[in-house]
Amino acid sequence: MRPMSPTPPSRRRRSGMPCRAVVVLTAAAVVGLLASCGATDIPAPRRTVTVTVDAPGSTSSQAVPTTTAPAPTTTPPAVPTALAAGKQRGAPKSFAEAKSRIDAAAPAAAVSAGFRSPTGNIVCRRGAGSAVACEVKQGRIPPPLPTICPPGGAKDIGRIELGTGGARPVCNTDSIGTGSEPVLGYGARTQPSGTTACLSESTGVTCIELTGRHGFFLARSTFVTF
């Protein structure tokens, strides 16, 4: 009996080619060929996942802190300068003195809006563009300051207008009087109405505004504001 001759090398290469050829095939083909060669426990190839990461220096999506500017403060209007002209006989010199006189007087019946003094030389009206305004028919007053009367108008003061901001002398050319105002007798004050009150005296008329604590006194050829 002859000994069995070994398998020629060329045959071994041909018989093994199907298993070695997978090197150049795709991953899917590798799995199929290895399975045909008896390799059944080969795991399936993993999918490749691409993840995009922003560069470290990017701040486009970050919130930018903001600061709120403080609200501008409103400067309250300056209190008008106290003015005086003429002899000022019998005039109160302050709001407190004027209020004390008015509080001590008895209110006149049916006198709340407009009124006139017993002589008719002073006429007052409440709520006509200001809290209260009074004017003189005779005895207009030269301005204590040259800036009070604007150019092109009257050169003397005939009316005082009182509001929450203070009393303002006016170099008027018009009149607030109608001729039908009731008389406010001497020693009497107006009926309570809003925040203003006026007192009629033989020396002149005094009016105050309670909110701003301002007032004035007006008579022939004289006035005082406070």
Side-chain angles (χ1 to χ4, degrees):
M1 185 174 180
R2 293 182 184 179
M4 185 177 288
S5 61
T7 304
S10 59
R11 289 188 178 181
R12 288 198 300 267
R13 285 194 298 269
R14 285 194 297 269
S15 63
M17 281 182 63
C19 294
R20 293 178 182 176
V22 296
V23 176
V24 294
L25 299 178
T26 63
V30 169
V31 175
L33 290 177
L34 290 178
S36 65
C37 294
T40 59
D41 296 331
I42 303 301
R46 297 179 180 179
R47 294 183 177 180
T48 302
V49 179
T50 303
V51 178
T52 303
V53 180
D54 292 339
S58 176
T59 58
S60 59
S61 61
Q62 296 180 357
V64 179
T66 59
T67 56
T68 303
T73 56
T74 302
T75 303
V79 176
T81 303
L83 297 174
K87 294 183 178 181
Q88 308 157 41
R89 181 174 60 90
K93 299 300 189 294
S94 66
F95 173 84
E97 182 182 350
K99 186 176 185 302
S100 177
R101 288 191 193 181
I102 292 175
D103 290 344
V111 177
S112 59
F115 64 90
R116 61 183 175 90
S117 65
T119 63
N121 192 49
I122 301 177
V123 178
C124 299
R125 184 161 299 278
R126 300 166 78 175
S130 59
V132 63
C134 294
E135 66 184 27
V136 291
K137 291 182 179 180
Q138 296 180 359
R140 293 172 66 93
I141 307 103
L145 295 175
T147 55
I148 293 179
C149 295
K155 302 302 180 184
D156 50 10
I157 297 167
R159 182 162 68 226
I160 308 293
E161 296 180 351
L162 175 64
T164 57
R168 181 173 65 95
V170 178
C171 304
N172 62 304
T173 56
D174 60 345
S175 175
I176 59 175
T178 63
S180 60
E181 294 85 3
V183 174
L184 182 63
Y186 294 141
R189 65 179 174 88
T190 55
Q191 291 282 349
S193 176
T195 60
T196 62
C198 293
L199 169 67
S200 175
E201 298 175 291
S202 60
T203 54
V205 173
T206 300
C207 294
I208 59 173
E209 201 285 318
L210 300 175
T211 302
R213 297 180 64 83
H214 295 293
F216 68 86
F217 170 85
L218 178 65
R220 184 190 299 266
S221 303
T222 187
F223 78 87
V224 176
T225 61
F226 44 84

